[in-house]
Amino acid sequence: MNVAHLFRRRQPAKPHVRPWALSAPIVVLLICLPLLRPLRHPDPRLISDDELARLATIESLVERRTLSIDKSPLAPQRGLITRGDHVYSDQPPTMAALLAGPYSVMRRFDLTFANNPALVAYLLTLIGVTIPVAAGTGLIYRMGRMFELPRQKRAMLAMAVALGSGFVSYGVVLNAQAPAAALVLASVAAIVHVAISRRPTATSGWLAAAGACAMLAAAIYPPAIVFVVLMAATIIAMRWRARMKLAGLALYALGAAGPLLLHGALVKPVTGDLLPPRFHADLVATTAADAAAAAEADEMDDLGPAGAGWWAVLGRNLARLAAALFGEHGILSHFPVLIFGILGVAAVMHRHWPMTTKVLATATLVGAGAVVVACALVLLIGAGPMFGPQAFILFLPLTLFWSGAWLRRRHGAGAWVLAGVLLAFSVAVSLIGATNPCPRDGYDRYTVAQALSNLIRPDAIQPPPTLAGR
């Protein structure tokens, strides 16, 4: 036996790099990196208040060891709360606290908001949002194994989810919705890994990771709390003995405890409880800008007839739900390909799928419905003022993931043509939105048309005069 033959025998059977697994994340990075907000729109006068508040909190945590942003040069004009003599952002501080670590490292190399704010914001966006979006896309490929699709189709499914659900649109700006959606995908992926494993006893530790990811998503973006509960329900549906199910729930709760404790340690000194700051009306600092925005919203509220009667209330609520689905910031008016995600859930229910898979699919739609109802009818914030259904990005990638169950079935030519057309439209909308998903003043009409207009005529975007001195 010669040396060359011996060397070949000792080579690993599995490849070190799987090109199909990496293809979708690489495509996401290639799209997002040149479109990151600090690169395309570095003017600080054009940054949204949401992003400014997050950057100001990061800067204050590292440079002054406090969540208070009243001394930060990045403090926004809106979205503030007051506690004593200090001003805080009304956002959950967990994401800012996590990104304070990378900024602390940058500061050691003399890279700060004071001497290079654009590069600092670029790197923080890359670490906090873009990489999680790319990683979430890779998890879609991994989870596609449950549909028994070949690798090429799983890679295509991952790309379709990233580009057709608006996921990539919010991978270019510092926001809470995209990383929360990636964490929800990570939680589902961990549960799927345990569910399809032939040795659940050895892999059950992944349930702790599932709980940690789900709770961290809720700590970053509070509406994700509904998925913390729904993901726990899938453990009960697994084909295990009762004792093992209880152990699985305990592991899930143990994993969720870490992010919950971090959230409590950050929020409780400010609000006195575990509720996010913006849910404390007595602490909200109402500025002239907030008052003007509220007055404008009241004037533009035409969602149904005025009055307090039962029919009037029902009409307004139905109009709000219709706006969340089909309006200027609606889900289906921007990403109609999500219909095939819903059809995929239906396909799971009509086949001999494992109970865990059926519960996961049901949890996706139940969680999506709960978030829509909460935002549209309870919080009255709708889909948000930015590009597309910003508040609903949390569940859109997971919903479209279930289209993999629809893909494995046979369909006529008409169905495939319709799916291709809806996917092409959704991808185009997502890419248009990625050019500027969070302008300072948001969007006041159909966001695709307005974003396209801003892209064609960038000179029409003028810095707000009130921020000229910033």
Side-chain angles (χ1 to χ4, degrees):
M1 183 182 296
N2 56 34
V3 176
H5 182 62
L6 179 63
F7 179 76
R8 284 195 296 268
R9 287 184 59 188
R10 293 181 179 273
Q11 293 300 306
K14 295 183 179 180
H16 290 292
V17 177
R18 295 187 180 275
W20 288 112
L22 295 176
S23 58
I26 289 174
V27 168
V28 169
L29 290 175
L30 290 176
I31 292 173
C32 290
L33 290 180
L35 294 177
L36 259 63
R37 195 280 308 160
L39 189 63
R40 280 188 49 83
H41 306 284
D43 191 339
R45 296 171 295 176
L46 297 177
I47 304 177
S48 67
D49 287 318
D50 181 79
E51 185 176 359
L52 275 177
R54 194 162 281 112
L55 293 174
T57 305
I58 295 171
E59 188 260 353
S60 295
L61 277 171
V62 175
E63 300 189 7
R64 285 176 292 278
R65 299 293 191 271
T66 178
L67 289 171
S68 172
I69 62 174
D70 46 347
K71 295 182 180 180
S72 174
L74 300 170
Q77 292 187 334
R78 303 175 184 172
L80 305 175
I81 65 170
T82 57
R83 182 68 183 263
D85 297 330
H86 298 288
V87 177
Y88 302 86
S89 167
D90 68 351
Q91 302 167 345
T94 304
M95 184 176 179
L98 295 175
L99 291 178
Y103 178 54
S104 180
V105 175
M106 296 178 205
R107 194 163 176 260
R108 290 179 179 270
F109 292 92
D110 198 30
L111 182 59
T112 66
F113 284 107
N115 59 31
N116 201 335
L119 181 56
V120 170
Y122 186 95
L123 293 175
L124 290 176
T125 305
L126 175 65
I127 296 170
V129 178
T130 309
I131 291 178
V133 168
T137 304
L139 290 174
I140 294 292
Y141 173 88
R142 178 72 177 178
M143 291 191 297
R145 295 171 60 192
M146 74 164 63
F147 302 130
E148 298 179 353
L149 297 173
R151 291 172 181 169
Q152 296 89 335
K153 288 188 177 181
R154 279 192 278 153
M156 292 173 60
L157 174 63
M159 292 183 192
V161 170
L163 301 180
S165 65
F167 201 22
V168 75
S169 299
Y170 280 89
V172 302
V173 65
L174 196 60
N175 68 100
Q177 288 81 10
L183 286 167
V184 169
L185 288 173
S187 178
V188 174
I191 292 175
V192 169
H193 178 67
V194 177
I196 66 177
S197 174
R198 296 181 180 179
R199 297 184 301 167
T201 305
T203 59
S204 58
W206 282 98
L207 294 177
C213 291
M215 184 56 73
L216 186 57
I220 291 174
Y221 185 54
I225 191 66
V226 64
F227 287 100
V228 177
V229 178
L230 292 173
M231 292 302 106
T234 62
I235 300 174
I236 302 175
M238 292 184 180
R239 295 179 178 179
W240 294 349
R241 295 180 179 179
R243 183 178 300 177
M244 193 168 178
K245 290 182 180 180
L246 290 177
L249 288 173
L251 285 171
Y252 183 86
L254 182 64
L260 182 60
L261 291 174
L262 174 62
H263 170 78
L266 293 170
V267 171
K268 196 169 183 179
V270 178
T271 65
D273 54 36
L274 295 180
L275 290 178
R278 66 181 53 182
F279 290 95
H280 292 265
D282 56 319
L283 301 178
V284 173
T286 303
T287 64
D290 292 326
E296 182 180 359
D298 290 340
E299 292 177 1
M300 297 179 63
D301 187 10
D302 56 354
L303 298 178
W310 189 87
W311 283 106
V313 173
L314 178 62
R316 285 196 296 272
N317 288 338
L318 290 177
R320 290 189 179 101
L321 290 176
L325 294 176
F326 307 104
E328 295 176 343
H329 295 262
I331 297 173
L332 297 179
S333 60
H334 287 75
F335 310 114
V337 72
L338 286 162
I339 293 174
F340 289 92
I342 299 173
L343 293 178
V345 173
V348 168
M349 298 304 166
H350 285 83
R351 293 178 62 89
H352 298 293
W353 293 86
M355 182 57 65
T356 305
T357 304
K358 292 185 177 182
V359 173
L360 276 174
T362 304
T364 300
L365 292 189
V366 171
V371 174
V372 170
V373 170
C375 292
L377 305 185
V378 180
L379 302 177
L380 300 181
I381 60 174
M386 300 301 174
F387 181 83
Q390 178 194 18
F392 307 141
I393 295 297
L394 173 68
F395 60 79
L396 297 186
L398 181 58
T399 302
L400 188 54
F401 159 74
W402 292 104
S403 62
W406 183 87
L407 285 174
R408 59 172 290 167
R409 303 181 68 179
R410 292 184 178 182
H411 305 283
W416 287 111
V417 169
L418 178 61
V421 170
L422 295 184
L423 178 61
F425 177 83
S426 301
V427 170
V429 167
S430 189
L431 294 178
I432 291 172
T435 60
N436 193 11
C438 295
R440 175 164 182 81
D441 296 323
Y443 293 93
D444 56 9
R445 53 192 174 93
Y446 184 49
T447 64
V448 180
Q450 193 170 357
L452 187 59
S453 176
N454 294 341
L455 181 63
I456 296 173
R457 296 181 297 173
D459 295 337
I461 307 176
Q462 298 294 332
T466 57
L467 297 179
R470 186 180 291 276

